[in-house]
Amino acid sequence: MLEDVEDGAAAAIRLAGGAPLRRTLDVADPDDWLALDAGVRKVAWHLSRFLPGWEHSASLQADLTQADESLLALALCHRDGRIRQKAVRQSVRYPVLLPLVVIRCADWVGPVREHARRLLREALNVGSALYLAPLILRVGRRNRGAFGVDVLGQVLRQASHGQLSVLFADPDRTVRRFAYRLAVEGRLLRPAELARAAAGDQDTVVQDLCATAALTALRDEEGYEGVLPLLLSARNPRVRSTGVTALRRAGWSERAESFLSDRSAIVRACARYVVRQRGGDPAAWYRERCTAPIGPELPPGVVIGLAECGNRADAGLLRPLLAHPSAGVRARAVAGLRTLDCVGAPQIRPLLDDPAPGVVRETTTALLPSAKELPADWLLERTSSQRLRHVRVGAFRLLDARGGIVALRAAVGLFEDPDVKLRTWAAQSVQRWHPSPDERRGDEEVGKLLGQCRHLFSDYMLHRLKWEAGVNS
């Protein structure tokens, strides 16, 4: 595989020396063709050190009728448009060079472009289109590259479901998007197949396209049995939310209740919509479960769901959950209190020592607005290397938000932290530090701390920072 332009230039030199094309690059890899084109022509145009390498070792003949496929590949990428034009005419002798003809379809020289387009239109069939689709779609992003994409679409509209399915598994998401759009347009996939594609593909565009098409294609109530379970069980929340919204249309609104506790906010929101349309009260549903005896089976989605549709009075139901045995519930309880704007720093502060990183992250975020009200010594104690990493990170975030000498003291203290990321964040904090306007100038401790940070500043910047803090140089 040719990884970059310089690899393409090295491949060009090997081809000029007589190396076989198929041994020099992977003819099935579109990146190799693009790298060869760039290496032969584009880089050679700007960097003269590449020019003698292949142009002098194998001079391109004025008559290319006797050229082999390696030399003709070089000619198709030549910096001289007249040579590229002659090479396009001769490329019909070697079908393996069709990828370079695709690239020339977006050439900036008009005659080269027109000859290449005529040849591509004549040569492209369903079989070659499936092979060339990744390259054509890559070239299609270029200026003047739309022609190849249009021709590709015209040819692949004649492909069968089985032929087009090769592209559904392509690692390039652009190819999969293109193929599924053609399949949806041509109604080549049944609703269940579209739903399976929406649930299985990792690309959000394909997910939305196929999920919407699957539901649009349904014409009778019985068809939902083969589609909705696939959508509702998808790992991606966007697909699940589409399925939940469709429950009302299918007449299965009662099933939406089980998704009120989903781990995804968008799915919970869709479930609440369906429940309300049916006459239900999602807030009452959440309250009932949050007031049940505390047990490990409480889903975290119930806790944050109550905050999403409840009111400030519901904070009283969330506070007892700060001590729940499940880390997920504790984290969502903190997030819920923040959503309801009912964070009480004394109540959630102990959770900064929680053994679960997720709980500490939520607690830190909730405490940031009141960081200056927290005891500085208490926070500094939690930056000790004896504490868990996530506790040190949370405490430092709060100290950094406080600013002033406390933030500088904490950052300098973390220069010896065992975690490299935390040391880096501490150094960055020092570099953007400025004395707080409500602290007295000329504090000797500030001078000592800045002296320990000399390696982070130029002499000029350190002198200026000390002057700003009122510290003698």
Side-chain angles (χ1 to χ4, degrees):
M1 178 180 177
L2 308 183
E3 296 184 358
D4 52 32
V5 172
E6 291 198 10
D7 282 355
I13 294 173
R14 292 196 298 273
L15 289 175
L21 182 68
R22 290 171 177 81
R23 292 185 182 179
T24 306
L25 69 158
D26 183 355
V27 296
D29 188 345
D31 286 330
D32 277 24
W33 291 108
L34 293 169
L36 178 66
D37 178 55
V40 172
R41 184 173 42 80
K42 294 182 181 178
V43 171
W45 185 279
H46 296 287
L47 302 178
S48 59
R49 65 191 180 95
F50 285 116
L51 289 177
W54 66 273
E55 289 193 355
H56 289 241
S57 61
S59 301
L60 294 174
Q61 306 169 20
D63 182 9
L64 293 173
T65 56
Q66 304 301 318
D68 60 13
E69 61 183 24
S70 296
L71 190 58
L72 203 54
L74 295 175
L76 281 165
C77 305
H78 199 279
R79 57 198 175 98
D80 188 331
R82 291 167 296 185
I83 294 179
R84 295 200 303 277
Q85 183 177 353
K86 294 176 183 178
V88 168
R89 293 196 186 102
Q90 297 299 320
S91 63
V92 293
R93 296 187 286 117
Y94 300 106
V96 70
L97 298 178
L98 194 55
L100 290 176
V101 174
V102 170
I103 297 174
R104 296 282 70 80
C105 286
D107 201 283
W108 68 85
V109 176
V112 176
R113 191 168 62 246
E114 293 308 317
H115 279 86
R117 290 178 175 183
R118 190 179 307 116
L119 179 58
L120 180 65
R121 188 181 290 278
E122 295 171 356
L124 204 63
N125 53 40
V126 172
S128 58
L130 294 172
Y131 158 64
L132 290 171
L135 178 61
I136 292 175
L137 293 172
R138 296 259 187 100
V139 175
R141 301 170 192 166
R142 298 180 175 181
N143 189 23
R144 298 177 293 268
F147 173 85
V149 178
D150 291 342
V151 173
L152 179 67
Q154 294 170 16
V155 172
L156 289 183
R157 285 184 180 89
Q158 305 169 21
S160 65
H161 174 198
Q163 292 172 316
L164 206 57
S165 64
V166 175
L167 301 182
F168 297 157
D170 196 280
D172 189 337
R173 64 183 180 180
T174 303
V175 176
R176 299 199 306 277
R177 291 174 182 179
F178 187 82
Y180 276 116
R181 286 192 182 104
L182 291 178
V184 170
E185 177 187 319
R187 299 182 179 181
L188 298 178
L189 296 175
R190 296 189 300 275
E193 292 175 311
L194 289 166
R196 194 172 295 109
D201 202 281
Q202 299 300 311
D203 181 60
T204 55
V205 173
V206 173
Q207 292 164 3
D208 290 343
L209 173 70
C210 292
T212 302
L215 295 174
T216 302
L218 292 176
R219 300 184 181 277
D220 56 79
E221 190 171 329
E222 294 181 359
Y224 286 102
E225 291 287 356
V227 171
L228 283 185
L230 291 169
L231 299 180
L232 295 172
S233 62
R235 290 177 56 86
N236 186 273
R238 295 171 65 92
V239 179
R240 289 203 308 280
S241 66
T242 302
V244 170
T245 305
L247 287 172
R248 180 168 176 256
R249 172 183 160 190
W252 300 349
S253 297
E254 68 282 357
R255 302 190 187 185
E257 198 172 84
S258 62
F259 290 91
L260 289 173
S261 60
D262 194 273
R263 61 184 181 272
S264 167
I266 188 174
V267 177
R268 292 193 299 270
C270 292
R272 289 195 292 269
Y273 164 78
V274 175
V275 169
R276 289 191 186 104
Q277 293 301 308
R278 185 170 172 256
D281 184 358
W285 187 92
Y286 287 126
R287 291 185 186 112
E288 179 183 351
R289 279 146 186 82
C290 286
T291 54
I294 291 180
E297 68 279 357
L298 179 65
V302 170
V303 181
I304 189 63
L306 175 59
E308 289 168 343
C309 69
N311 53 53
R312 290 173 63 90
D314 292 315
L317 300 178
L318 298 182
R319 290 190 183 100
L321 299 177
L322 295 174
H324 195 277
S326 168
V329 172
R330 296 197 302 275
R332 296 302 179 272
V334 175
L337 290 171
R338 182 165 60 88
T339 300
L340 295 172
D341 194 21
C342 294
V343 172
Q347 292 171 324
I348 70 169
R349 200 180 81 183
L351 291 175
L352 199 64
D353 292 322
D354 198 279
V359 177
V360 175
R361 280 195 299 270
E362 289 291 353
T363 302
T364 302
T365 302
L367 289 174
L368 280 174
S370 56
K372 292 187 177 182
E373 302 170 13
L374 299 174
D377 291 341
W378 183 83
L379 290 174
L380 282 168
E381 182 185 347
R382 275 143 187 82
T383 62
S384 166
S385 59
Q386 305 302 316
R387 300 280 181 166
L388 295 172
R389 179 188 182 277
H390 61 271
V391 174
R392 302 200 306 274
V393 170
F396 178 62
R397 283 183 63 195
L398 293 168
L399 287 163
D400 190 46
R402 287 177 62 103
I405 189 173
V406 174
L408 182 61
R409 190 184 301 143
V412 172
L414 288 172
F415 283 174
E416 303 299 325
D417 193 272
D419 185 78
V420 63
K421 286 188 177 180
L422 195 48
R423 293 199 303 270
T424 301
W425 294 337
Q428 292 170 345
S429 174
V430 170
Q431 288 174 324
R432 64 174 180 266
W433 182 85
H434 289 281
S436 177
D438 55 355
E439 293 182 344
R440 69 182 180 87
R441 299 178 76 251
D443 192 323
E444 291 184 3
E445 184 184 1
V446 173
K448 292 179 181 178
L449 291 172
L450 289 177
Q452 298 178 51
C453 307
R454 185 176 299 276
H455 61 290
L456 299 176
F457 299 98
S458 66
D459 291 341
Y460 168 76
M461 288 303 300
L462 184 61
H463 176 78
R464 179 169 178 171
L465 194 57
K466 286 185 174 182
W467 173 83
E468 187 179 345
V471 179
N472 292 331
S473 301

